[in-house]
Amino acid sequence: MNVKQSKTAERNNTDGCYDVERVREDFPVLGQTVHGKPLVYLDNAATAQKPRAVIRRVAEYYETENSNIHRGVHWLSETATRAYEGTRTAVRKFLNAAEEREIVFVRGTTEAINLVARCYGGARLQAGDEVVISAMEHHSNIVPWQLICQEKGAVLRVIPVDDHGDIVMDAYHRLLGPRTRMVALPHVSNALGTVNPIKQMIDDAHRAGVPVLVDGAQGVPHARVDVRALDCDFYAFSSHKLYGPTGVGVLYGKAALLEEMPPYQGGGDMILSVSFEETEYNVLPYKFEAGTPNIAGVIGLGAAVEYVTALGIDAVASHEDRVVAYAVERLARVPGVRLVGTPGRRASLVSFVLGDVHAHDIGTILDQEGIAVRTGHHCAMPVMERFGVPATVRASFACYNTEAEVDVLADGLETAWRLFSGV
Ligand code: C6P
């Protein structure tokens, strides 16, 4: 048994079950008290906490390897370059991408989508062309497409969602027309928790000859993603929601598409040669990685991928499925709670309102109990409008959350309900 296997085994009970208490020990922040209460961190869709392995790896880089990459012949630079490129290999394996040149490091999901909208959309879209997105998008998968559509005279078409928060598939099929040039979809909705049937939707788009970008910000941390099995053309995710550092993300793109796209930004490292007359761009993926990247962040992401792989993404997903199923059942028993989004397949989060109490007021009361949730529109204003609410309370779960924490949340909500309803 190697070190990684033995660490995984430690986090499993003797009967092989997922040992969440052992997992919690890996996350120093969880040991804190907030307002005198144990911290109950349920804001993982905003950002996940970091395990010691990631924190230490970033510190180790700065303490012993700090150097710029791809530029020096000295030992430190070569060491840092190896570690940085090691993350690319780890991410390629994690996503089951065919080639390392298909993994582009960016600042996060937002930048990945902007890159595709600008470089792919910018080169391909013409007046009257259409880009299809859904009514449950995060603003990061709306605004970049709006910007490029406005510039090119193209049209943004929106697939409706039904009252459960599921995509209306018939409407999707009707929207796939002769002018559709791109479909961009969330793997999992950050505001409703809906897991979209992306494999089917990708196949449908491909039958119409249309490429698909998957916004995987809420997908990658909660499910096994195999970009080759999905056959998606682009897949975007952020390191910080996968237990890695902030300021780093990944754009997976099929090599043939990335090859034909112009660079996103100009600068160092994305070139092979430069003169005042002409610049020859670097090969993939460096063509899209201009300037000194977030080296420590990328190396930290490598540690995060290693951490999640050791836990087992399938084990994490089934643990979270249990917790979220319990949350749905437990919150149904709290007076005043109404779930916003009751999708056929849900991952990792619940969004709800409590009577007509403003979500921020509930968030403030929960905070006094040491409970961190997100309240507001979750950067998904159109879906709030679709459900006729200005804001929701969102509890989102990760590999270290427990059913006992759901009980603490439910108790906190009951307190809030008593306070506001006067019952
Ligand atoms: N959603 C949330 O609390 P960045 O900020 O680039 O890491 O991720 C943007 C993004 C894109 N798509 C989806 C589906 C997302 O959920 C997010 C980030 C956080 O829901 C912060 S707004």
Side-chain angles (χ1 to χ4, degrees), residues 192-271:
L192 307 170
T194 312
V195 181
N196 287 312
I198 49 164
K199 173 62 185 151
Q200 190 190 334
M201 296 181 82
I202 291 164
D203 290 347
D204 294 341
H206 284 175
R207 266 193 298 281
V210 180
V212 179
L213 174 141
V214 180
D215 169 355
Q218 305 293 348
V220 152
H222 309 293
R224 180 177 295 280
V225 172
D226 180 331
V227 290
R228 272 190 283 178
L230 287 174
D231 197 25
C232 54
D233 300 278
F234 300 101
Y235 193 101
F237 76 91
S238 301
S239 149
H240 69 98
K241 298 186 201 289
L242 186 70
Y243 313 107
T246 50
V248 178
V250 169
L251 170 66
Y252 158 80
K254 283 183 181 165
L257 295 177
L258 293 175
E259 284 286 9
E260 72 177 52
M261 286 156 55
Y264 182 49
Q265 295 181 324
D269 223 21
M270 53 74 72
I271 56 89

Side-chain angles (χ1 to χ4, degrees), residues 43-47 107-114 136-141 185-191 215-219 236-241 246-249 349 374 377-380 394 396:
D43 196 16
N44 296 285
T47 197
R107 281 191 299 138
T109 308
T110 302
E111 188 172 57
I113 298 172
N114 274 278
M136 65 172 82
E137 303 302 333
H138 185 279
H139 300 160
S140 291
N141 204 29
L185 296 165
H187 191 164
V188 174
S189 156
N190 71 313
D215 169 355
Q218 305 293 348
F237 76 91
S238 301
S239 149
H240 69 98
K241 298 186 201 289
T246 50
V248 178
L349 66 92
R374 184 167 173 189
H377 53 60
H378 315 296
C379 302
R394 184 187 69 185
S396 53

